[in-house]
Amino acid sequence: MSYRLWRTGARSALVGALLFPVAAVAVNNTFPVSAAQMRALGITVQRLDKPAAIRGLSYPARVILPPQQDVVISAPVAGVVEQLLVTEHQRLTIGQPLLRLASPEFGELQLAALEAANKNRLAQQTLQREKQLFAEGIVPQRRLLEAEAAASDGKAGLRQTSAALRLAGLDAPAVARLIGSGALQESLTLKARSAGLVVDLQAKPGQRVAAADPLLRIADPSQLWLDIQIPAKRADAWAKDGDITVVGRPVTARPMQAGAVVGEGQTVSLRARISAGVDRVRPGEAVQVQVPFADRANAWSLPLAAVARQGEQAYVFVRTAQGFDARKVNVVASAGQSVSVLGPLKSADQVAVSSVIALKAAWLGESGGE
């Protein structure tokens, strides 16, 4: 008899011998396999030593900007874009001019501020005069009270018009210069209120814009987050103190919180703040990350070929005195040809790492081969 015929016969004998006790398999998942049958089918085992540290399962993620790091500069007043003073992808410093906007509305705001300043100045002078006259007994107290009310109104009007100018883009020193000199500015120069990078220019010279129209977008990439999609059933299992790593890059992140809403793909969003290697990724980039879970200390490292699937459930086959025992496991990490699993395993267990498909067929009482 040739070796091929002997091996095929041994395999058929193994599967045939296990067709009968199918009912018992459903109870304890144990089935007999002799040493000779293992040799015939090329089944080898690996002895478990101790649980291995898990770097984490790989999940898709996107690099995003934190909300406070992404700023849209909009038109504070209606007008015409006179000149752009920056270019796309240019790095900015605080206070750097961005663009000039010619606006009749801005002129009206300046005029209102000057009128309010004049009224306030007159009201303050009137109050001082009324105080002196009242002290000399020349005017009644009612005149003094009216002057105090007018002075209070004058201050309030000046504060309101000055605030309108600051909202339009003038800083406090510029507002003070305008009120002190009385010289109106012909155009409004918008300045950067934070450092960052120009990521989008939406305005062009000569373009008419309405109030609140977006002009450009500034992003500060010094801080970045990862938006990670993890299965909803693992939403609360991630390690609070574990480092998330980006596959293939020296980038790590610290997990912050998982979303409360499950998406269409039955996933939740896990947000993580990049703590190292922020300059190795860009906002909007899609990456793969490894997320450690809190139960990683009890995981076992095995070859990928050691895991068999029955439906959605994963199994490994553990050698026993009579044969093998099919045990349920959860795959919690994978990298290349290695996986990390959780399940009823212990040190010194011998797990089948080859010809697992043949063991699965024998376990289920099937007649299929490898």
Side-chain angles (χ1 to χ4, degrees), residues 28 104 142 185 218 279 281 285 301 337:
N28 55 21
R142 178 181 57 80
Q185 297 183 23
I218 300 175
D279 58 334
V281 290
E285 187 175 1
S301 180
Q337 295 301 309

Side-chain angles (χ1 to χ4, degrees), residues 199-274:
V199 294
D200 188 18
L201 269 177
Q202 297 174 274
K204 296 180 180 179
Q207 178 181 347
R208 289 188 175 274
V209 294
D213 281 354
L215 302 175
L216 54 92
R217 180 172 160 229
I218 300 175
D220 183 3
S222 61
Q223 295 183 31
L224 296 174
W225 288 357
L226 293 174
D227 185 18
I228 309 164
Q229 299 301 311
I230 63 175
K233 62 182 180 180
R234 304 284 285 171
D236 298 320
W238 47 274
K240 305 300 186 292
D241 58 346
D243 280 335
I244 295 172
T245 58
V246 176
V247 177
R249 304 191 196 181
V251 180
T252 58
R254 300 291 290 181
M256 297 187 297
Q257 62 182 7
V261 180
V262 178
E264 295 182 358
Q266 294 302 300
T267 61
V268 297
S269 177
L270 174 62
R271 291 288 173 87
R273 177 179 55 83
I274 295 180

Side-chain angles (χ1 to χ4, degrees), residues 330-349:
N330 291 323
V331 177
V332 295
S334 62
Q337 295 301 309
S338 298
V339 294
S340 295
V341 300
L342 294 172
L345 304 174
K346 62 183 184 297
S347 296
D349 278 348

Side-chain angles (χ1 to χ4, degrees), residues 72-79 81 101 103 105 167-168 188 190 202-203 207-216:
V72 175
I73 305 297
S74 57
V77 291
V81 178
L101 189 67
S103 170
E105 185 177 338
L167 287 175
L188 172 63
L190 299 183
Q202 297 174 274
Q207 178 181 347
R208 289 188 175 274
V209 294
D213 281 354
L215 302 175
L216 54 92

Side-chain angles (χ1 to χ4, degrees), residues 81-290:
V81 178
E82 276 192 341
Q83 184 180 8
L84 292 176
L85 304 175
V86 294
T87 60
E88 200 165 9
H89 309 305
Q90 180 178 340
R91 291 197 172 273
L92 304 175
T93 57
I94 297 177
Q96 182 170 344
L98 302 174
L99 57 83
R100 283 203 296 268
L101 189 67
S103 170
E105 185 177 338
F106 177 56
E108 294 172 1
L109 291 176
Q110 295 180 87
L111 181 59
L114 290 178
E115 291 175 348
N118 292 333
K119 289 181 180 180
N120 178 61
R121 189 179 303 111
L122 178 60
Q124 299 305 321
Q125 291 173 354
T126 301
L127 176 60
Q128 294 302 320
R129 185 179 68 253
E130 294 296 329
K131 281 183 178 180
Q132 183 177 358
L133 293 175
F134 176 74
E136 295 174 356
I138 300 176
V139 298
Q141 187 179 18
R142 178 181 57 80
R143 289 269 300 268
L144 176 61
L145 295 176
E146 289 176 350
E148 289 177 343
S152 178
D153 292 343
K155 287 182 178 180
L158 181 58
R159 284 196 297 267
Q160 190 273 330
T161 54
S162 297
L165 284 175
R166 289 195 297 272
L167 287 175
L170 286 186
D171 54 20
V175 173
R177 287 195 299 270
L178 169 67
I179 293 174
S181 65
L184 299 181
Q185 297 183 23
E186 295 183 357
S187 60
L188 172 63
T189 300
L190 299 183
K191 298 180 180 180
R193 297 185 179 180
S194 61
L197 187 71
V198 179
V199 294
D200 188 18
L201 269 177
Q202 297 174 274
K204 296 180 180 179
Q207 178 181 347
R208 289 188 175 274
V209 294
D213 281 354
L215 302 175
L216 54 92
R217 180 172 160 229
I218 300 175
D220 183 3
S222 61
Q223 295 183 31
L224 296 174
W225 288 357
L226 293 174
D227 185 18
I228 309 164
Q229 299 301 311
I230 63 175
K233 62 182 180 180
R234 304 284 285 171
D236 298 320
W238 47 274
K240 305 300 186 292
D241 58 346
D243 280 335
I244 295 172
T245 58
V246 176
V247 177
R249 304 191 196 181
V251 180
T252 58
R254 300 291 290 181
M256 297 187 297
Q257 62 182 7
V261 180
V262 178
E264 295 182 358
Q266 294 302 300
T267 61
V268 297
S269 177
L270 174 62
R271 291 288 173 87
R273 177 179 55 83
I274 295 180
S275 55
V278 69
D279 58 334
R280 305 302 295 270
V281 290
R282 296 172 182 246
E285 187 175 1
V287 295
Q288 288 287 322
V289 300
Q290 290 183 314

